[in-house]
């Protein structure tokens, strides 16, 4: 999977950011956070947000990290230069905070080791001595990072990350025997028919529970017990599903769904998690296929357009071609959105911004939103008998 991060060699903190003025550098040096990444083998790929490096022999971590949500990721490199699958984690850094992680060479991953209080005090007292071994945060790409993550709050981040706090590009699978109770395993064995093939008798594999990202489940499009006419109505407008999701997960923060959209996008773009791309598509389609919701959530859809504007600029070219060409997903969803916005009772300001956004996309990508073919994302029409 393509990655949009910029790579370079990082050996110490001597690398300076040409776009960072002295006052900003001084402020970040005094108030920025520090990530100590100890015992990382030379040659390991290491990244934070929009930049990644090949670790040098003196590398001990990153300094001058602006407070807020950041994504750290890494890949071990073998002696034959084979790159291991990417693993990462989100973290909300506080002002002047020091976060310490240590590498486990056997696991080729972060260890479970945690520094004692005395060790943390020593790290804090030795900031100046550690400085030559810390690379500066890539300040030049901070605005780009913030534009992709400004709706991801610390509580939202904590609610979405897996229980093991790691974002892995490879699906971690385990057999039923490792995660089910004795009673559950007995029921599974009893359900296997006599004469079943060896393959059918093999244990079923499923994703490791602690590695699952806690994405929102997309609710049904229509309420239980809906008539055929109601199914058609609700399928033409996904407001019921959106309202249900927001009531369940984002009752106190209607922009939270955009934070999840951003979280899924970063997990796909930098974490290289394809399942996150599928979640991004589901949320994107849901938001685009509502009309009544636009009347009620003026600010949500205003910020939605800003969010999509920045995301479309960052999608890797190979995936960009894929989501445009396969079932016309992107253009179909956006055409639905622009049509829903135009026919909604939204404010004139929001409608005007929608027209400008549509024009800018048409000009930049040569998309025709007025002549598209509906694919799998077309509404469900139920015939009345």
């Amino acid at each position: 999977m393509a990655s949009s991060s910029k790579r370079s060699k990082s050996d110490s903190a001597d690398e300076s950011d040409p776009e960072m003025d002295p006052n900003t550098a001084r402020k970040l040096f005094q108030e920025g956070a520090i990530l100590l990444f100890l015992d990382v083998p030379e040659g390991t790929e290491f990244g934070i947000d929009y930049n990644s490096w090949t670790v040098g022999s003196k590398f001990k971590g990153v300094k001058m990290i602006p407070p807020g949500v950041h994504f750290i990721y890494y890949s071990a490199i073998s002696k034959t230069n084979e790159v291991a699958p990417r693993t990462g984690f989100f973290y909300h850094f506080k002002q002047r905070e020091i976060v310490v992680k240590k590498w486990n060479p056997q696991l080729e991953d972060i260890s479970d080791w945690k520094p004692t209080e005395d060790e943390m005090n020593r790290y804090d007292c030795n900031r100046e001595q550690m400085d030559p071994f810390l690379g500066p945060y890539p300040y030049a790409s901070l605005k780009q990072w913030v534009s992709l993550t400004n709706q991801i709050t610390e509580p939202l981040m904590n609610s979405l990350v897996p229980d093991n706090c790691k974002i892995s590009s490879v699906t971690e699978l385990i057999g039923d025997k490792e995660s089910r109770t004795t009673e559950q395993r007995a029921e599974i064995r009893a359900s296997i028919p006599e004469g079943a093939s060896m393959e059918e008798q093999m244990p079923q594999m499923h994703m490791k529970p602690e590695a699952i990202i806690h994405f929102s489940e997309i609710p049904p499009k229509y309420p239980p017990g809906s008539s055929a006419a109601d199914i058609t109505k609700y399928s033409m407008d996904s407001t019921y599903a959106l309202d249900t999701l927001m009531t369940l997960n984002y009752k106190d923060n209607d922009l939270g769904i955009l934070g999840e959209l951003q979280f899924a996008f970063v997990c796909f773009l930098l974490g290289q998690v394809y399942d996150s791309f599928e979640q991004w598509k589901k949320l994107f389609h849901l938001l685009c296929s509502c009309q009544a919701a636009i009347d009620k959530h003026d600010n949500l859809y205003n910020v939605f357009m800003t969010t999509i504007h920045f995301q479309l600029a960052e999608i890797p070219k190979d995936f960009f071609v894929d989501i445009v060409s396969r079932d016309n997903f992107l253009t179909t969803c956006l055409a639905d959105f622009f049509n829903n916005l135009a026919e909604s009772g939204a404010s004139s300001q929001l409608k005007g911004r929608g027209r400008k956004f549509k024009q800018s996309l048409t000009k930049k990508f040569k998309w025709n939103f007025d002549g598209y073919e509906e694919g799998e994302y077309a509404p469900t029409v139920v015939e009345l008998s």
Side-chain angles (χ1 to χ4, degrees):
M1 184 179 295
S3 171
S4 292
S5 57
K6 303 172 185 175
R7 292 193 62 185
S8 59
K9 177 84 171 183
S10 180
D11 207 23
S12 69
D14 295 334
E15 301 175 19
S16 59
D17 191 331
E19 295 189 29
M20 189 187 304
D21 62 82
N23 290 333
T24 301
R26 191 178 303 110
K27 183 177 180 181
L28 282 176
F29 182 78
Q30 295 171 347
E31 302 179 5
I34 290 175
L35 170 67
L36 290 179
F37 208 9
L38 306 177
D39 302 335
V40 182
E42 184 175 359
T44 299
E45 181 190 272
F46 167 82
I48 180 169
D49 301 343
Y50 238 81
N51 292 73
S52 65
W53 303 267
T54 300
V55 168
S57 58
K58 297 179 182 179
F59 179 82
K60 299 293 182 185
V62 180
K63 62 181 178 180
M64 304 165 68
I65 302 173
V69 172
H70 296 278
F71 183 62
I72 295 90
Y73 48 97
Y74 46 88
S75 297
I77 308 292
S78 71
K79 293 180 180 179
T80 56
N81 290 323
E82 293 182 352
V83 182
R86 180 171 288 183
T87 303
F89 62 93
F90 284 89
Y91 192 85
H92 187 280
F93 287 89
K94 309 298 189 297
Q95 194 175 60
R96 290 187 59 80
E97 183 178 15
I98 297 178
V99 177
V100 186
K101 301 291 183 181
K102 183 178 284 189
W103 188 260
N104 184 320
Q106 282 73 42
L107 297 176
E108 293 189 334
D109 199 350
I110 292 174
S111 71
D112 294 329
W113 169 85
K114 292 183 179 181
T116 64
E117 186 176 345
D118 287 341
E119 287 173 323
M120 288 302 300
N121 288 334
R122 284 199 296 272
Y123 290 133
D124 192 33
C125 293
N126 294 330
R127 286 174 180 263
E128 290 189 13
Q129 287 81 357
M130 296 187 299
D131 189 71
F133 305 98
L134 303 175
Y137 179 86
Y139 185 76
S141 61
L142 178 61
K143 287 184 178 180
Q144 187 180 19
W145 172 249
V146 171
S147 72
L148 294 176
T149 59
N150 62 338
Q151 301 302 326
I152 305 177
T153 62
E154 184 177 12
L156 176 64
M157 178 195 76
N158 291 333
S159 70
L160 292 172
V161 295
D163 294 342
N164 65 7
C165 298
K166 293 181 180 178
I167 305 295
S168 177
S169 62
V170 175
T171 302
E172 298 183 58
L173 299 175
I174 56 174
D176 289 312
K177 185 177 179 181
E178 299 176 70
S179 63
R180 298 186 185 273
T181 64
T182 302
E183 184 178 348
Q184 288 173 328
R185 292 197 297 271
E187 290 176 357
I188 292 172
R189 285 196 298 272
S191 68
I192 299 175
E194 290 186 19
S197 66
M198 184 66 71
E199 183 178 344
E200 291 174 316
Q201 296 181 48
M202 293 291 288
Q204 295 296 309
M205 304 297 290
H206 59 277
M207 194 168 182
K208 212 171 183 179
E210 61 267 33
I212 297 174
I213 301 174
H214 300 300
F215 285 130
S216 298
E217 289 190 20
I218 307 301
K221 283 189 173 183
Y222 44 85
S226 294
S227 66
D230 283 341
I231 290 175
T232 298
K233 180 185 74 173
Y234 283 117
S235 295
M236 298 292 288
D237 185 341
S238 298
T239 294
Y240 170 79
L242 179 63
D243 284 347
T244 302
L245 187 152
M246 293 179 68
T247 299
L248 290 172
N249 296 348
Y250 301 115
K251 188 175 182 179
D252 299 323
N253 176 21
D254 63 353
L255 296 183
I257 189 172
L258 299 183
E260 182 173 343
L261 188 76
Q262 291 182 335
F263 187 94
F265 188 79
V266 170
C267 287
F268 150 67
L269 186 71
L270 299 178
Q272 302 180 350
V273 182
Y274 188 78
D275 286 347
S276 295
F277 178 56
E278 291 301 309
Q279 179 69 8
W280 177 83
K281 287 171 65 178
K282 290 176 184 177
L283 292 172
F284 180 72
H285 174 251
L286 176 63
L287 287 160
C288 287
S289 57
C290 296
Q291 184 178 120
I294 299 177
D295 300 355
K296 300 183 291 184
H297 302 289
D298 192 284
N299 185 51
L300 169 65
Y301 277 94
N302 187 41
V303 179
F304 172 63
M305 283 188 276
T306 300
T307 301
I308 295 304
H309 166 78
F310 286 114
Q311 289 184 345
L312 290 180
E314 303 302 334
I315 296 177
K317 288 184 178 179
D318 52 347
F319 271 81
F320 194 85
V321 171
D322 181 65
I323 62 176
V324 170
S325 60
R326 184 183 296 178
D327 300 314
N328 295 322
F329 170 77
L330 200 58
T331 49
T332 298
C333 287
L334 285 170
D336 282 343
F337 169 63
F338 292 131
N339 184 60
N340 286 327
L341 177 58
E343 296 183 2
S344 72
S347 66
S348 58
Q349 291 85 352
L350 186 65
K351 288 188 174 183
R353 188 170 183 215
R355 286 192 293 271
K356 290 181 180 178
F357 185 39
K358 178 180 178 181
Q359 290 167 1
S360 69
L361 292 178
T362 300
K363 182 178 180 181
K364 183 174 182 179
F365 300 113
K366 312 301 181 187
W367 291 339
N368 177 18
F369 294 111
D370 299 317
Y372 66 94
E373 296 180 2
E374 295 177 341
E376 65 173 292
Y377 298 97
T380 300
V381 178
V382 179
E383 296 292 338
L384 298 174
S385 55

